[in-house]
Amino acid sequence: MSAHVFIAEDEASIVSLLKYNLEKEGYKVSHSENGEDALKQIKSKQPDLILMDWMLPELSGVEICKNLKKDNKFNDIPVIMLTAKGEEEDKLKAFDTGADDYVTKPFSQKELNARIKSLLKRSKPQSSSDIVEFTDLKIDRITKRVYRKDKEITLGPTEFKLLDFFIKNPKRVYSREQLLNNVWGEDIYVESRTVDVHIRRLRQAINIQNTKPLIRTVRSAGYSLES
Amino acid sequence: MSAHVFIAEDEASIVSLLKYNLEKEGYKVSHSENGEDALKQIKSKQPDLILMDWMLPELSGVEICKNLKKDNKFNDIPVIMLTAKGEEEDKLKAFDTGADDYVTKPFSQKELNARIKSLLKRSKPQSSSDIVEFTDLKIDRITKRVYRKDKEITLGPTEFKLLDFFIKNPKRVYSREQLLNNVWGEDIYVESRTVDVHIRRLRQAINIQNTKPLIRTVRSAGYSLES
DNA sequence: TCCTCTGTTAACAAATGATTAAAAAGGGGG
DNA sequence: CCCCCTTTTTAATCATTTGTTAACAGAGGA
């Protein structure tokens, strides 16, 4: 689950240097050499961080940055500007366009890494607790969406809650009674057979082609989520 | 509702310079001259940002920073380190301790201001600018106009507020109750069915020919703005 | 006053939930 | 190893909840 860094830079030597170093750090890296293409790629790939040259062919880094910062969908992506001259004015302009940091060439790779780490740290934690993964299952509590192998799955409210509950303690076996208390609620009384039915529905829903069944039945004990 | 900046620095001349400039920028400023006291004050005052000298009497800036970053309650407060020498090693150490940025003395006040602004922007989610876009939707909070694919759309006040609220956190699902609290107001009581009606009106209004519906209903959960 | 906006209501449609019963599977004792 | 009893799965059905839609009446501003 490494972060994805996008490089918008037209000098090939710099790109390869950056790429080499960033990949060594464990980041997924992609890049583009011209502004227009960069913007397109950024919008489709939604990287976790962008390194952007101040000057770019077609569309300047400044323009791209402004464009991104306007759009709610992308304005959370941190941008580090790479600027050639260390001039005061440029630095300020960089921040004005919405850049989150800037680095002047020539830059120290170590320092750049540190700045990248710092920015990523800031943007990550918000989403972490609300999105839970277990093997190839992913559930997003904010958007109420569930994915299996990155394919979206539609679940009814109860099935969603059921899965959400299971995923909190994978591999643990829950009795029907425990499930009723935790998923349905303490004071709601329904037949315990009902659990079976919803288990079945959940199974059907998350069962994408030739994947192992994820829900194990433990005879006379209950069910559990398995890998 | 100006941000509160805390200065931990023992050189009086620097403190007064910083204080003067920051207050001119509209920040609330407080400070301390020794490390131990600084830590205490920070924990009680919970400032929005900290400017910290690398070296401080009693307890060094590094120590304070580490201490803060360990504690969940304070590790979200951005820290800018003020370091005397511009040496590579120090920069890296600064980041290692959890600092979010650093500035070397002598520093440009303008640049410092820019960095402060940038960090505060990150921690305050209310970065609400006046014109916000989400995919092909654009909303202008000043002129109260809404555009879809650059075509203007007319919305009633409530629909406008609804959309405005949704666009702040696209893709996030809000319950009727949340919508009522945030769009209508905490203490206004209307039926929750009313939300449905306004959702429908909003849907109709933003639904320009053959475009995907932008508002998703999540059964028994609420609604969300989707791309 | 007229018009727009708002909130309520009611009828309708769709989705989900629970229950039941029958079939299948599992486990243990003889 | 087979038979019987228990538990689980499955499918079909019915009930209930939830959301959609349209119509209406009142409030408030132009």
mmCIF file of all heavy atoms in Angstrom, chain B residues 76-119:
data_model
loop_
_atom_site.group_PDB
_atom_site.id
_atom_site.type_symbol
_atom_site.label_atom_id
_atom_site.label_comp_id
_atom_site.label_asym_id
_atom_site.label_seq_id
_atom_site.Cartn_x
_atom_site.Cartn_y
_atom_site.Cartn_z
ATOM 1 N N ASP B 76 -1.241 16.812 15.967
ATOM 2 C CA ASP B 76 -1.772 17.434 14.759
ATOM 3 C C ASP B 76 -1.342 18.890 14.625
ATOM 4 O O ASP B 76 -1.560 19.497 13.582
ATOM 5 C CB ASP B 76 -3.302 17.374 14.754
ATOM 6 C CG ASP B 76 -3.791 16.075 14.159
ATOM 7 O OD1 ASP B 76 -2.975 15.415 13.489
ATOM 8 O OD2 ASP B 76 -4.964 15.738 14.359
ATOM 9 N N ILE B 77 -0.768 19.431 15.669
ATOM 10 C CA ILE B 77 -0.345 20.830 15.595
ATOM 11 C C ILE B 77 0.937 20.931 14.762
ATOM 12 O O ILE B 77 1.936 20.311 15.087
ATOM 13 C CB ILE B 77 -0.073 21.398 17.011
ATOM 14 C CG1 ILE B 77 -1.302 21.182 17.913
ATOM 15 C CG2 ILE B 77 0.299 22.858 16.933
ATOM 16 C CD1 ILE B 77 -1.091 21.642 19.338
ATOM 17 N N PRO B 78 0.870 21.688 13.680
ATOM 18 C CA PRO B 78 2.056 21.802 12.830
ATOM 19 C C PRO B 78 3.181 22.544 13.553
ATOM 20 O O PRO B 78 2.927 23.503 14.281
ATOM 21 C CB PRO B 78 1.569 22.642 11.646
ATOM 22 C CG PRO B 78 0.100 22.761 11.779
ATOM 23 C CD PRO B 78 -0.274 22.446 13.172
ATOM 24 N N VAL B 79 4.389 22.077 13.348
ATOM 25 C CA VAL B 79 5.553 22.693 13.977
ATOM 26 C C VAL B 79 6.540 23.157 12.911
ATOM 27 O O VAL B 79 6.899 22.403 12.013
ATOM 28 C CB VAL B 79 6.274 21.693 14.911
ATOM 29 C CG1 VAL B 79 7.551 22.306 15.465
ATOM 30 C CG2 VAL B 79 5.359 21.244 16.034
ATOM 31 N N ILE B 80 6.937 24.406 13.000
ATOM 32 C CA ILE B 80 8.003 24.905 12.127
ATOM 33 C C ILE B 80 9.230 25.143 12.983
ATOM 34 O O ILE B 80 9.178 25.861 13.974
ATOM 35 C CB ILE B 80 7.605 26.227 11.441
ATOM 36 C CG1 ILE B 80 6.366 26.019 10.566
ATOM 37 C CG2 ILE B 80 8.758 26.750 10.590
ATOM 38 C CD1 ILE B 80 5.921 27.273 9.833
ATOM 39 N N MET B 81 10.332 24.498 12.594
ATOM 40 C CA MET B 81 11.570 24.637 13.355
ATOM 41 C C MET B 81 12.351 25.840 12.846
ATOM 42 O O MET B 81 12.494 26.035 11.640
ATOM 43 C CB MET B 81 12.427 23.382 13.174
ATOM 44 C CG MET B 81 12.052 22.249 14.082
ATOM 45 S SD MET B 81 12.685 22.533 15.736
ATOM 46 C CE MET B 81 12.096 21.031 16.524
ATOM 47 N N LEU B 82 12.874 26.594 13.781
ATOM 48 C CA LEU B 82 13.744 27.699 13.419
ATOM 49 C C LEU B 82 15.168 27.261 13.735
ATOM 50 O O LEU B 82 15.499 27.014 14.886
ATOM 51 C CB LEU B 82 13.400 28.937 14.245
ATOM 52 C CG LEU B 82 11.956 29.421 14.166
ATOM 53 C CD1 LEU B 82 11.715 30.541 15.157
ATOM 54 C CD2 LEU B 82 11.642 29.881 12.752
ATOM 55 N N THR B 83 15.993 27.126 12.703
ATOM 56 C CA THR B 83 17.350 26.672 12.978
ATOM 57 C C THR B 83 18.366 27.711 12.549
ATOM 58 O O THR B 83 18.187 28.399 11.554
ATOM 59 C CB THR B 83 17.647 25.312 12.296
ATOM 60 O OG1 THR B 83 18.632 25.488 11.304
ATOM 61 C CG2 THR B 83 16.388 24.754 11.657
ATOM 62 N N ALA B 84 19.427 27.801 13.344
ATOM 63 C CA ALA B 84 20.422 28.834 13.111
ATOM 64 C C ALA B 84 21.264 28.556 11.869
ATOM 65 O O ALA B 84 21.372 29.365 10.970
ATOM 66 C CB ALA B 84 21.317 28.970 14.328
ATOM 67 N N LYS B 85 21.785 27.381 11.800
ATOM 68 C CA LYS B 85 22.660 27.049 10.672
ATOM 69 C C LYS B 85 21.822 26.364 9.602
ATOM 70 O O LYS B 85 20.891 25.627 9.909
ATOM 71 C CB LYS B 85 23.783 26.120 11.119
ATOM 72 C CG LYS B 85 23.947 26.089 12.617
ATOM 73 C CD LYS B 85 24.476 24.738 13.073
ATOM 74 C CE LYS B 85 24.251 24.602 14.589
ATOM 75 N NZ LYS B 85 24.598 23.293 15.109
ATOM 76 N N GLY B 86 22.225 26.613 8.385
ATOM 77 C CA GLY B 86 21.464 26.011 7.299
ATOM 78 C C GLY B 86 22.015 24.663 6.897
ATOM 79 O O GLY B 86 21.985 24.282 5.745
ATOM 80 N N GLU B 87 22.493 23.930 7.881
ATOM 81 C CA GLU B 87 23.161 22.689 7.508
ATOM 82 C C GLU B 87 22.218 21.534 7.227
ATOM 83 O O GLU B 87 21.221 21.340 7.915
ATOM 84 C CB GLU B 87 24.144 22.297 8.610
ATOM 85 C CG GLU B 87 25.411 23.132 8.550
ATOM 86 C CD GLU B 87 26.268 22.892 9.770
ATOM 87 O OE1 GLU B 87 26.169 21.795 10.353
ATOM 88 O OE2 GLU B 87 27.030 23.817 10.133
ATOM 89 N N GLU B 88 22.581 20.813 6.235
ATOM 90 C CA GLU B 88 21.809 19.667 5.769
ATOM 91 C C GLU B 88 21.362 18.762 6.912
ATOM 92 O O GLU B 88 20.192 18.445 7.060
ATOM 93 C CB GLU B 88 22.691 18.858 4.800
ATOM 94 C CG GLU B 88 22.079 17.607 4.267
ATOM 95 C CD GLU B 88 21.090 17.915 3.158
ATOM 96 O OE1 GLU B 88 20.863 19.102 2.842
ATOM 97 O OE2 GLU B 88 20.555 16.962 2.598
ATOM 98 N N GLU B 89 22.291 18.378 7.731
ATOM 99 C CA GLU B 89 22.004 17.450 8.815
ATOM 100 C C GLU B 89 20.868 17.943 9.712
ATOM 101 O O GLU B 89 19.989 17.194 10.097
ATOM 102 C CB GLU B 89 23.256 17.215 9.658
ATOM 103 C CG GLU B 89 24.242 16.260 9.003
ATOM 104 C CD GLU B 89 23.553 14.966 8.548
ATOM 105 O OE1 GLU B 89 22.923 14.311 9.401
ATOM 106 O OE2 GLU B 89 23.635 14.621 7.347
ATOM 107 N N ASP B 90 20.930 19.225 10.016
ATOM 108 C CA ASP B 90 19.923 19.780 10.898
ATOM 109 C C ASP B 90 18.537 19.707 10.279
ATOM 110 O O ASP B 90 17.554 19.389 10.938
ATOM 111 C CB ASP B 90 20.249 21.244 11.228
ATOM 112 C CG ASP B 90 21.291 21.323 12.323
ATOM 113 O OD1 ASP B 90 21.747 20.249 12.739
ATOM 114 O OD2 ASP B 90 21.629 22.439 12.738
ATOM 115 N N LYS B 91 18.470 19.995 9.000
ATOM 116 C CA LYS B 91 17.189 19.949 8.310
ATOM 117 C C LYS B 91 16.568 18.567 8.457
ATOM 118 O O LYS B 91 15.395 18.415 8.786
ATOM 119 C CB LYS B 91 17.375 20.225 6.814
ATOM 120 C CG LYS B 91 17.914 21.590 6.487
ATOM 121 C CD LYS B 91 18.008 21.732 4.964
ATOM 122 C CE LYS B 91 18.687 23.040 4.593
ATOM 123 N NZ LYS B 91 18.778 23.178 3.124
ATOM 124 N N LEU B 92 17.383 17.587 8.200
ATOM 125 C CA LEU B 92 16.865 16.228 8.239
ATOM 126 C C LEU B 92 16.440 15.841 9.647
ATOM 127 O O LEU B 92 15.402 15.235 9.846
ATOM 128 C CB LEU B 92 17.904 15.250 7.701
ATOM 129 C CG LEU B 92 18.238 15.500 6.234
ATOM 130 C CD1 LEU B 92 19.325 14.539 5.782
ATOM 131 C CD2 LEU B 92 17.003 15.334 5.370
ATOM 132 N N LYS B 93 17.256 16.211 10.599
ATOM 133 C CA LYS B 93 16.908 15.910 11.984
ATOM 134 C C LYS B 93 15.585 16.550 12.347
ATOM 135 O O LYS B 93 14.742 15.960 13.020
ATOM 136 C CB LYS B 93 18.004 16.410 12.927
ATOM 137 C CG LYS B 93 18.979 15.327 13.355
ATOM 138 C CD LYS B 93 19.847 15.857 14.485
ATOM 139 C CE LYS B 93 21.321 15.518 14.259
ATOM 140 N NZ LYS B 93 22.215 16.472 14.954
ATOM 141 N N ALA B 94 15.433 17.785 11.886
ATOM 142 C CA ALA B 94 14.200 18.509 12.185
ATOM 143 C C ALA B 94 12.991 17.697 11.714
ATOM 144 O O ALA B 94 12.036 17.483 12.447
ATOM 145 C CB ALA B 94 14.212 19.871 11.509
ATOM 146 N N PHE B 95 13.046 17.223 10.500
ATOM 147 C CA PHE B 95 11.926 16.433 9.984
ATOM 148 C C PHE B 95 11.763 15.140 10.763
ATOM 149 O O PHE B 95 10.657 14.670 10.996
ATOM 150 C CB PHE B 95 12.126 16.125 8.498
ATOM 151 C CG PHE B 95 11.740 17.270 7.612
ATOM 152 C CD1 PHE B 95 12.658 17.892 6.807
ATOM 153 C CD2 PHE B 95 10.428 17.725 7.594
ATOM 154 C CE1 PHE B 95 12.300 18.957 5.999
ATOM 155 C CE2 PHE B 95 10.062 18.780 6.788
ATOM 156 C CZ PHE B 95 10.993 19.399 5.981
ATOM 157 N N ASP B 96 12.896 14.571 11.145
ATOM 158 C CA ASP B 96 12.849 13.308 11.873
ATOM 159 C C ASP B 96 12.104 13.425 13.190
ATOM 160 O O ASP B 96 11.399 12.506 13.602
ATOM 161 C CB ASP B 96 14.272 12.812 12.152
ATOM 162 C CG ASP B 96 14.687 11.788 11.115
ATOM 163 O OD1 ASP B 96 13.815 11.407 10.307
ATOM 164 O OD2 ASP B 96 15.857 11.384 11.108
ATOM 165 N N THR B 97 12.274 14.550 13.832
ATOM 166 C CA THR B 97 11.611 14.705 15.125
ATOM 167 C C THR B 97 10.122 14.927 14.960
ATOM 168 O O THR B 97 9.378 14.962 15.925
ATOM 169 C CB THR B 97 12.173 15.911 15.900
ATOM 170 O OG1 THR B 97 11.978 17.082 15.105
ATOM 171 C CG2 THR B 97 13.641 15.740 16.179
ATOM 172 N N GLY B 98 9.708 15.116 13.726
ATOM 173 C CA GLY B 98 8.279 15.267 13.500
ATOM 174 C C GLY B 98 7.887 16.685 13.121
ATOM 175 O O GLY B 98 6.719 17.001 12.967
ATOM 176 N N ALA B 99 8.889 17.555 12.958
ATOM 177 C CA ALA B 99 8.587 18.920 12.523
ATOM 178 C C ALA B 99 7.950 18.861 11.133
ATOM 179 O O ALA B 99 8.222 17.956 10.353
ATOM 180 C CB ALA B 99 9.854 19.760 12.479
ATOM 181 N N ASP B 100 7.104 19.821 10.851
ATOM 182 C CA ASP B 100 6.418 19.796 9.571
ATOM 183 C C ASP B 100 7.114 20.676 8.543
ATOM 184 O O ASP B 100 6.860 20.585 7.353
ATOM 185 C CB ASP B 100 4.977 20.266 9.753
ATOM 186 C CG ASP B 100 4.234 19.359 10.687
ATOM 187 O OD1 ASP B 100 3.749 18.337 10.209
ATOM 188 O OD2 ASP B 100 4.191 19.636 11.898
ATOM 189 N N ASP B 101 7.956 21.543 9.035
ATOM 190 C CA ASP B 101 8.710 22.410 8.146
ATOM 191 C C ASP B 101 9.831 23.011 8.972
ATOM 192 O O ASP B 101 9.874 22.872 10.189
ATOM 193 C CB ASP B 101 7.786 23.509 7.598
ATOM 194 C CG ASP B 101 8.257 23.990 6.234
ATOM 195 O OD1 ASP B 101 9.448 23.782 5.914
ATOM 196 O OD2 ASP B 101 7.436 24.562 5.507
ATOM 197 N N TYR B 102 10.776 23.641 8.325
ATOM 198 C CA TYR B 102 11.808 24.330 9.082
ATOM 199 C C TYR B 102 12.224 25.539 8.272
ATOM 200 O O TYR B 102 12.039 25.611 7.061
ATOM 201 C CB TYR B 102 13.012 23.419 9.334
ATOM 202 C CG TYR B 102 13.840 23.287 8.115
ATOM 203 C CD1 TYR B 102 14.947 24.123 7.916
ATOM 204 C CD2 TYR B 102 13.488 22.400 7.120
ATOM 205 C CE1 TYR B 102 15.670 24.045 6.755
ATOM 206 C CE2 TYR B 102 14.202 22.321 5.964
ATOM 207 C CZ TYR B 102 15.304 23.142 5.779
ATOM 208 O OH TYR B 102 16.010 23.084 4.632
ATOM 209 N N VAL B 103 12.789 26.499 8.963
ATOM 210 C CA VAL B 103 13.247 27.737 8.333
ATOM 211 C C VAL B 103 14.577 28.081 8.972
ATOM 212 O O VAL B 103 14.747 27.947 10.180
ATOM 213 C CB VAL B 103 12.227 28.864 8.586
ATOM 214 C CG1 VAL B 103 12.824 30.211 8.240
ATOM 215 C CG2 VAL B 103 10.958 28.625 7.782
ATOM 216 N N THR B 104 15.540 28.492 8.150
ATOM 217 C CA THR B 104 16.852 28.826 8.710
ATOM 218 C C THR B 104 16.975 30.318 8.938
ATOM 219 O O THR B 104 16.545 31.112 8.124
ATOM 220 C CB THR B 104 17.985 28.389 7.765
ATOM 221 O OG1 THR B 104 17.733 28.933 6.468
ATOM 222 C CG2 THR B 104 18.031 26.876 7.651
ATOM 223 N N LYS B 105 17.572 30.652 10.072
ATOM 224 C CA LYS B 105 17.835 32.054 10.370
ATOM 225 C C LYS B 105 19.077 32.478 9.599
ATOM 226 O O LYS B 105 20.033 31.694 9.528
ATOM 227 C CB LYS B 105 18.101 32.251 11.868
ATOM 228 C CG LYS B 105 16.975 31.810 12.761
ATOM 229 C CD LYS B 105 17.346 32.154 14.200
ATOM 230 C CE LYS B 105 16.719 31.175 15.166
ATOM 231 N NZ LYS B 105 17.209 31.368 16.546
ATOM 232 N N PRO B 106 19.170 33.675 9.090
ATOM 233 C CA PRO B 106 18.082 34.650 9.097
ATOM 234 C C PRO B 106 17.036 34.288 8.052
ATOM 235 O O PRO B 106 17.388 33.794 6.983
ATOM 236 C CB PRO B 106 18.804 35.941 8.706
ATOM 237 C CG PRO B 106 19.949 35.486 7.873
ATOM 238 C CD PRO B 106 20.344 34.133 8.364
ATOM 239 N N PHE B 107 15.787 34.508 8.375
ATOM 240 C CA PHE B 107 14.745 34.085 7.433
ATOM 241 C C PHE B 107 13.971 35.286 6.901
ATOM 242 O O PHE B 107 13.979 36.371 7.491
ATOM 243 C CB PHE B 107 13.777 33.129 8.121
ATOM 244 C CG PHE B 107 13.331 33.611 9.457
ATOM 245 C CD1 PHE B 107 12.323 34.549 9.560
ATOM 246 C CD2 PHE B 107 13.929 33.129 10.608
ATOM 247 C CE1 PHE B 107 11.921 34.990 10.790
ATOM 248 C CE2 PHE B 107 13.523 33.590 11.855
ATOM 249 C CZ PHE B 107 12.518 34.514 11.949
ATOM 250 N N SER B 108 13.356 35.072 5.791
ATOM 251 C CA SER B 108 12.536 36.128 5.216
ATOM 252 C C SER B 108 11.145 36.043 5.842
ATOM 253 O O SER B 108 10.517 34.983 5.865
ATOM 254 C CB SER B 108 12.437 35.936 3.702
ATOM 255 O OG SER B 108 11.097 36.040 3.276
ATOM 256 N N GLN B 109 10.692 37.137 6.341
ATOM 257 C CA GLN B 109 9.389 37.141 6.994
ATOM 258 C C GLN B 109 8.297 36.728 6.025
ATOM 259 O O GLN B 109 7.363 36.007 6.377
ATOM 260 C CB GLN B 109 9.098 38.527 7.568
ATOM 261 C CG GLN B 109 7.830 38.608 8.390
ATOM 262 C CD GLN B 109 7.914 37.747 9.655
ATOM 263 O OE1 GLN B 109 8.936 37.740 10.340
ATOM 264 N NE2 GLN B 109 6.858 36.998 9.946
ATOM 265 N N LYS B 110 8.449 37.191 4.788
ATOM 266 C CA LYS B 110 7.446 36.856 3.780
ATOM 267 C C LYS B 110 7.354 35.346 3.563
ATOM 268 O O LYS B 110 6.281 34.780 3.501
ATOM 269 C CB LYS B 110 7.816 37.519 2.445
ATOM 270 C CG LYS B 110 7.253 38.917 2.276
ATOM 271 C CD LYS B 110 7.474 39.334 0.833
ATOM 272 C CE LYS B 110 6.860 40.690 0.516
ATOM 273 N NZ LYS B 110 7.149 41.068 -0.890
ATOM 274 N N GLU B 111 8.521 34.748 3.467
ATOM 275 C CA GLU B 111 8.517 33.311 3.233
ATOM 276 C C GLU B 111 7.931 32.584 4.442
ATOM 277 O O GLU B 111 7.136 31.664 4.300
ATOM 278 C CB GLU B 111 9.923 32.802 2.976
ATOM 279 C CG GLU B 111 9.917 31.335 2.599
ATOM 280 C CD GLU B 111 11.299 30.730 2.559
ATOM 281 O OE1 GLU B 111 12.277 31.469 2.406
ATOM 282 O OE2 GLU B 111 11.367 29.487 2.691
ATOM 283 N N LEU B 112 8.306 33.018 5.591
ATOM 284 C CA LEU B 112 7.775 32.384 6.796
ATOM 285 C C LEU B 112 6.250 32.483 6.806
ATOM 286 O O LEU B 112 5.548 31.497 7.073
ATOM 287 C CB LEU B 112 8.353 33.054 8.044
ATOM 288 C CG LEU B 112 7.893 32.448 9.370
ATOM 289 C CD1 LEU B 112 8.298 30.995 9.467
ATOM 290 C CD2 LEU B 112 8.439 33.223 10.554
ATOM 291 N N ASN B 113 5.758 33.655 6.486
ATOM 292 C CA ASN B 113 4.305 33.828 6.441
ATOM 293 C C ASN B 113 3.652 32.849 5.465
ATOM 294 O O ASN B 113 2.617 32.269 5.759
ATOM 295 C CB ASN B 113 3.958 35.260 6.021
ATOM 296 C CG ASN B 113 4.168 36.242 7.149
ATOM 297 O OD1 ASN B 113 4.218 35.857 8.315
ATOM 298 N ND2 ASN B 113 4.324 37.513 6.813
ATOM 299 N N ALA B 114 4.296 32.712 4.333
ATOM 300 C CA ALA B 114 3.749 31.806 3.324
ATOM 301 C C ALA B 114 3.707 30.380 3.849
ATOM 302 O O ALA B 114 2.722 29.659 3.685
ATOM 303 C CB ALA B 114 4.581 31.870 2.056
ATOM 304 N N ARG B 115 4.777 29.986 4.520
ATOM 305 C CA ARG B 115 4.824 28.615 5.053
ATOM 306 C C ARG B 115 3.786 28.409 6.144
ATOM 307 O O ARG B 115 3.153 27.360 6.245
ATOM 308 C CB ARG B 115 6.220 28.301 5.580
ATOM 309 C CG ARG B 115 7.272 28.213 4.469
ATOM 310 C CD ARG B 115 8.511 27.485 4.943
ATOM 311 N NE ARG B 115 9.499 27.390 3.876
ATOM 312 C CZ ARG B 115 9.499 26.406 2.974
ATOM 313 N NH1 ARG B 115 8.560 25.472 3.015
ATOM 314 N NH2 ARG B 115 10.416 26.366 2.031
ATOM 315 N N ILE B 116 3.630 29.413 6.944
ATOM 316 C CA ILE B 116 2.629 29.317 8.007
ATOM 317 C C ILE B 116 1.238 29.154 7.403
ATOM 318 O O ILE B 116 0.455 28.295 7.793
ATOM 319 C CB ILE B 116 2.665 30.577 8.905
ATOM 320 C CG1 ILE B 116 3.934 30.572 9.757
ATOM 321 C CG2 ILE B 116 1.431 30.641 9.795
ATOM 322 C CD1 ILE B 116 4.120 31.823 10.589
ATOM 323 N N LYS B 117 0.989 29.987 6.409
ATOM 324 C CA LYS B 117 -0.318 29.945 5.765
ATOM 325 C C LYS B 117 -0.579 28.560 5.176
ATOM 326 O O LYS B 117 -1.667 27.992 5.317
ATOM 327 C CB LYS B 117 -0.365 31.004 4.654
ATOM 328 C CG LYS B 117 -1.667 31.754 4.586
ATOM 329 C CD LYS B 117 -1.521 33.020 3.762
ATOM 330 C CE LYS B 117 -2.056 32.886 2.364
ATOM 331 N NZ LYS B 117 -1.752 34.071 1.530
ATOM 332 N N SER B 118 0.460 28.052 4.534
ATOM 333 C CA SER B 118 0.335 26.747 3.886
ATOM 334 C C SER B 118 0.020 25.649 4.904
ATOM 335 O O SER B 118 -0.849 24.799 4.684
ATOM 336 C CB SER B 118 1.623 26.424 3.148
ATOM 337 O OG SER B 118 1.638 25.082 2.755
ATOM 338 N N LEU B 119 0.705 25.677 6.033
ATOM 339 C CA LEU B 119 0.475 24.642 7.039
ATOM 340 C C LEU B 119 -0.890 24.785 7.697
ATOM 341 O O LEU B 119 -1.568 23.796 7.954
ATOM 342 C CB LEU B 119 1.574 24.684 8.103
ATOM 343 C CG LEU B 119 2.895 24.040 7.696
ATOM 344 C CD1 LEU B 119 3.940 24.224 8.777
ATOM 345 C CD2 LEU B 119 2.690 22.551 7.429
#
